[in-house]
Amino acid sequence: MSQPKRAQPKQERAQATYERLLDVAGALLGEVGLDRISTNMICARAGLTPPALYRYFNNKYAVLEALGRRLMARQNAVLEQWIARHVDHGIAALRAGVGELLRDTAAVTQSEPGAVWILRALHATPQLVHVRLESHRYVTDRLVEAYIRYLPDVDRDELWQRLRLSVELGFAADEMLQEETRISPEMAMKHVAALLRFDLDR
């Protein structure tokens, strides 16, 4: 039986400790990987006792879930800012801004400690897959709302499915750039943006 999730702290001091634990965990992930990281290792690096960590997280998978949710929230903030900048300027502006959205999202991912391992955990750990799925569906929902106002004759469900595939492609390129050194980020984003614009033009 799974343990109940702990609520994210509200008090400033507790929130600072919570974020510190996540920062340490992200950095450690980048050093030792998913299999080796442990709550004891996180505590030792953060200078805290295990009971202090367990006030916020039930186990290492709860830490990984929080890392995933924090990364997704930061990526989603980029999306919201992008929509706010472009949505009132028509569908052409949305299409033209696809590359900008991809680049800004990649920059946020790149700046996150341990991002590549966080993303791997969200793919490879059954109890964490829902975090990635919920986030990608959220992104799709928001894009549908932005586009549908200019596409009144398009079937909403079909648009959702097409955009959902585009979202997956965009995030896949973002994840690839965390590891692949033989493709420049500029080249990758240019080509992925062109593919996504082509699909939208159809």
Side-chain angles (χ1 to χ4, degrees), residues 6 39-40 43 49-60:
R6 302 187 192 281
T39 53
N40 286 340
C43 290
T49 62
L53 181 142
Y54 291 127
R55 281 201 290 269
Y56 306 102
F57 307 104
N58 291 328
N59 51 43
K60 85 171 188 177

Side-chain angles (χ1 to χ4, degrees), residues 2-183:
S2 62
Q3 293 177 297
K5 291 183 181 177
R6 302 187 192 281
Q8 190 169 331
K10 302 271 193 297
Q11 294 181 342
E12 186 175 338
R13 184 176 174 186
Q15 181 65 33
T17 301
Y18 179 88
E19 292 294 331
R20 181 181 173 199
L21 285 166
L22 291 183
D23 289 341
V24 166
L28 275 170
L29 264 178
E31 294 172 23
V32 305
L34 183 57
D35 292 334
R36 286 188 55 210
I37 195 168
S38 68
T39 53
N40 286 340
M41 193 180 291
I42 296 167
C43 290
R45 176 69 64 90
L48 296 170
T49 62
L53 181 142
Y54 291 127
R55 281 201 290 269
Y56 306 102
F57 307 104
N58 291 328
N59 51 43
K60 85 171 188 177
Y61 294 104
V63 177
L64 293 170
E65 178 169 347
L67 282 169
R69 290 193 180 281
R70 185 172 74 167
L71 174 57
M72 301 291 124
R74 289 173 176 175
Q75 292 174 335
N76 291 347
V78 168
L79 171 71
E80 296 298 343
Q81 292 162 8
W82 179 84
I83 290 173
R85 280 195 302 273
H86 296 292
V87 71
D88 291 331
H89 302 290
I91 196 162
L94 291 167
R95 285 196 194 101
V98 168
E100 172 195 337
L101 176 59
L102 292 170
R103 286 191 301 274
D104 290 351
T105 301
V108 166
T109 307
Q110 189 67 40
S111 69
E112 190 76 11
V116 67
W117 286 99
I118 295 169
L119 295 170
R120 286 174 180 167
L122 296 182
H123 279 284
T125 311
Q127 60 262 51
L128 299 180
V129 168
H130 69 281
V131 176
R132 178 175 52 85
L133 187 60
E134 288 168 12
S135 176
H136 291 193
R137 286 175 173 171
Y138 171 83
V139 171
T140 305
D141 289 342
R142 295 294 292 126
L143 289 173
V144 167
E145 291 304 319
Y147 279 101
I148 199 71
R149 62 195 281 189
Y150 300 112
L151 301 169
D153 298 326
V154 171
D155 179 79
R156 189 185 187 95
D157 185 59
E158 181 184 351
L159 178 62
W160 192 94
Q161 292 182 56
R162 288 173 64 175
L163 286 171
R164 179 67 183 86
L165 290 167
S166 297
V167 165
E168 202 64 27
L169 177 59
F171 278 115
D174 185 20
E175 291 176 29
M176 181 196 68
L177 289 173
Q178 303 304 309
E179 301 174 294
E180 179 55 74
T181 59
R182 294 181 62 184
I183 300 177

